[in-house]
Amino acid sequence: MLIRCICSDFYKIKRTPILWLHVAAPLIGAFAFLGYYSITVNSQPLGRINAFLEALCIVFPILIGLLCGMTAAQEEQAGSYQVMLAGTKSRATAYLSKLLLLLILSAFSVVIAIGVFAAGYHAASAQFYLRAAFAVWGGYVFLYVLHLFVSFRFGRGASIGLGIFGALITALTLTGLGDQIWHWMPWAWSVRICNNMIFSLQTPSAASLAAADIQYGVSVCAVATVLAIAASLLWFWRWNGSKSNE
C-alpha cells in the first residue's frame, strides 16, 4: 500500500517543478562552486570544502520550505486535501507517502550536489564525502516533518517564510553564538556536524573532541526526529483539512 502511494505521488509531481528543482538546484550549486574554485587560488582545500558544505546547508532550509509548500499546495488545489485524506484506507499511509517521497528526492539532491562536487574536487576521500552527504540529509529530516506540518496547516507562504528564517538561523549558528546551543537547534544539526568533520581533519589532535560533539548532536537529532514523525502522524490522523486562516 505504501509503495503504491509513493509511486502515485511520484506520478503527480513528475511534470511539476518539484521534481526538477531537486535536480537543477544541486547541479547549479555544485558547478558554481567548482567553477569559482577553478579560477581562484587557495592553499586551504579543506576550507573550500567546508565553505561548499556550509552554503549547501544554508540554502537547504529555503528549498525545503519551498518544496514542502508546493507539495501541500498541489494537494489543496486537487480538492482541499480531501483526495489525500480520504483517498486511502489509512491516513498514516497517505502522510508517510508524501514525507518519504520528499526524503527520497532530497537524498537524491544531496547525492547530486556532493557527488558532482566530489568528482571535481578531490581534496578529501570518498568516505568523507559520503559521510558528509548523510550528515546533510539526515540532519534535515526533522525540517521536512516540520515544514510539511506548517505547509498543510498554515499554507505555502508560511512554509517558505519559515525556510528563509531557517536559513538565517543556520548562518547565525556558524558563529560563536551556536557553539553551545547548536545541538538543540534543528537548523544547525547538518552544518555543525559537517563543520566538526572538517575540524577533525584539520586538527587530528582534537578529533576525539569533535567526535564527542558530533555524537551528542546526532543523538539529539535522532530522538527529536522520531518524536516529530510520531507527533505529525498523530496530528494528521485527526486533521480535517482546514487551515488556520479559514
Side-chain angles (χ1 to χ4, degrees):
M1 175 70 75
L2 179 59
I3 295 177
R4 286 205 302 269
C5 283
I6 293 174
C7 292
S8 175
D9 284 332
F10 176 78
Y11 285 121
K12 289 180 184 178
I13 68 168
K14 191 174 181 180
R15 289 181 172 82
T16 68
I18 296 174
L19 181 61
W20 298 111
L21 278 172
H22 281 93
V23 178
L27 282 175
I28 292 171
F31 281 121
F33 270 85
L34 288 175
Y36 174 72
Y37 288 164
S38 68
I39 61 175
T40 59
V41 178
N42 192 304
S43 59
Q44 297 181 334
L46 291 178
R48 288 186 165 196
I49 297 175
N50 195 42
F52 169 73
L53 293 175
E54 287 179 352
L56 182 64
C57 291
I58 290 173
V59 172
F60 226 93
I62 299 176
L63 290 176
I64 293 173
L66 176 62
L67 293 167
C68 288
M70 292 172 67
T71 300
Q74 186 183 46
E75 288 297 329
E76 182 181 18
Q77 294 165 4
S80 297
Y81 304 109
Q82 295 309 310
V83 174
M84 182 180 180
L85 293 172
T88 59
K89 294 181 179 180
S90 170
R91 285 192 172 191
T93 300
Y95 175 80
L96 287 175
S97 174
K98 293 290 184 187
L99 177 60
L100 290 175
L101 178 60
L102 285 170
L103 292 178
I104 291 170
L105 292 175
S106 71
F108 185 63
S109 292
V110 171
V111 169
I112 290 176
I114 295 182
V116 170
F117 182 82
Y121 202 75
H122 306 106
S125 66
Q127 182 182 15
F128 170 84
Y129 282 120
L130 183 62
R131 290 173 58 207
F134 185 77
V136 172
W137 177 81
Y140 282 135
V141 173
F142 179 94
L143 290 189
Y144 273 96
V145 178
L146 174 62
H147 277 272
L148 267 186
F149 164 74
V150 171
S151 298
F152 286 138
R153 189 68 182 88
F154 302 104
R156 177 170 53 186
S159 179
I160 295 173
L162 180 61
I164 295 172
F165 170 79
L168 295 175
I169 293 298
T170 302
L172 283 175
T173 57
L174 291 172
T175 68
L177 295 173
D179 288 347
Q180 301 300 322
I181 61 173
W182 74 265
H183 313 87
W184 305 99
M185 303 185 70
W187 296 277
W189 290 335
S190 293
V191 71
R192 277 290 186 158
I193 290 172
C194 289
N195 278 169
N196 275 308
M197 290 169 57
I198 292 288
F199 178 69
S200 65
L201 292 179
Q202 292 174 326
T203 315
S205 60
S208 59
L209 182 63
D213 203 33
I214 290 174
Q215 185 176 8
Y216 184 22
V218 168
S219 299
V220 175
C221 173
V223 172
T225 300
V226 171
L227 292 177
I229 293 173
S232 65
L233 282 171
L234 179 62
W235 168 79
F236 192 80
W237 179 69
R238 302 179 61 182
W239 185 48
N240 62 6
S242 61
K243 295 197 298 186
S244 63
N245 57 358
E246 293 179 346

